[in-house]
Amino acid sequence: MHNDWVVKPVRLPLIRRRCQACASESFRTSGKFRVNANHKLLDIWLLALCTKCGATTKINIFERTHVRSLNPELLERAHQNDPTLAAELLQDGVVRRRNHISLDWSDAWRLDTGGSDGKGREVMDVSVRFAAQIPVRPVRLIAEGCGLSRGEVERMVMEGTLVSAVRLSGKVSSDFTFTLKRHAA
């Protein structure tokens, strides 16, 4: 039987950046934007607050960009403080590199297995889909989705009863499939 699992964000991730006020390493954003106009040039920033002292930092989205070169829908979404726009822009590698930030997805996602955990089935084929680029260890996902310990999952990988086309050690953030074969008791 085939199962479809989805890794879904439950909130925006923490932003990893050093705070100038207190030397904390993380900021939280609510998805609020600031749009600043200087004649026909616009700056757009995503605002974030330090998780320790509350100081504000600006994540540079557009800098000195001519108003006509911006997508009107994106500009409107920034004016409306659209949290889905914030999520999309934080996923953009160019934005992250330009601002020297990384994302911390700890406790910001959940696994939706569609209600089936595969207990008692001898063979289980699973497609894991990511609703956002959330880096997660496959061993952790499989353990959580199947109700197993990480040690049991790692043992199954070593025994060859858990196989996948992707490397199951390390982290993944894109869709993958795996097959789990349990031994008949």
Side-chain angles (χ1 to χ4, degrees):
M1 181 170 185
H2 191 79
N3 290 325
D4 291 313
W5 294 357
V6 181
V7 178
K8 297 179 179 179
V10 292
R11 66 168 171 77
L12 291 171
L14 292 178
I15 298 167
R16 292 278 175 215
R17 170 188 261 181
R18 187 170 206 61
C19 178
Q20 299 298 322
C22 74
S24 169
E25 295 280 335
S26 64
F27 287 80
R28 182 177 313 277
T29 183
S30 62
K32 302 259 188 251
F33 291 88
R34 177 158 181 220
V35 180
N36 188 38
N38 184 0
H39 301 286
K40 294 183 184 204
L41 301 177
L42 293 179
D43 294 315
I44 300 177
W45 300 292
L46 174 62
L47 302 177
L49 300 176
C50 175
T51 57
K52 191 171 182 182
C53 73
T56 301
T57 191
K58 298 183 286 191
I59 308 300
N60 183 358
I61 306 302
F62 291 103
E63 184 174 39
R64 299 288 179 233
T65 304
H66 196 281
V67 69
R68 289 185 188 207
S69 67
L70 284 174
N71 178 336
E73 179 195 344
L74 183 139
L75 184 57
E76 180 61 27
R77 290 173 70 194
H79 278 297
Q80 299 299 319
N81 292 316
D82 183 351
T84 58
L85 176 61
E88 291 168 19
L89 292 170
L90 286 173
Q91 294 285 311
D92 187 338
V94 173
V95 169
R96 290 196 315 266
R97 281 188 298 281
R98 180 184 325 128
N99 288 282
H100 308 289
I101 61 172
S102 61
L103 303 179
D104 179 358
W105 282 97
S106 303
D107 302 321
W109 61 272
R110 72 178 174 85
L111 177 63
D112 181 2
T113 61
S116 67
D117 59 9
K119 287 182 182 169
R121 283 194 293 185
E122 201 170 311
V123 177
M124 187 166 89
D125 291 314
V126 178
S127 294
V128 180
R129 193 172 51 79
F130 287 77
Q133 292 178 356
I134 304 169
V136 182
R137 297 187 185 284
V139 168
R140 178 179 178 192
L141 284 178
I142 295 166
E144 185 177 319
C146 294
L148 302 169
S149 71
R150 288 188 207 167
E152 287 175 293
V153 172
E154 288 170 354
R155 180 182 50 76
M156 294 171 130
V157 170
M158 295 299 289
E159 292 173 350
T161 57
L162 175 59
V163 294
S164 177
V166 300
R167 196 172 57 114
L168 295 174
S169 60
K171 292 186 177 184
V172 298
S173 58
S174 57
D175 302 353
F176 71 98
T177 60
F178 70 89
T179 301
L180 186 137
K181 299 173 188 168
R182 298 178 196 248
H183 298 294

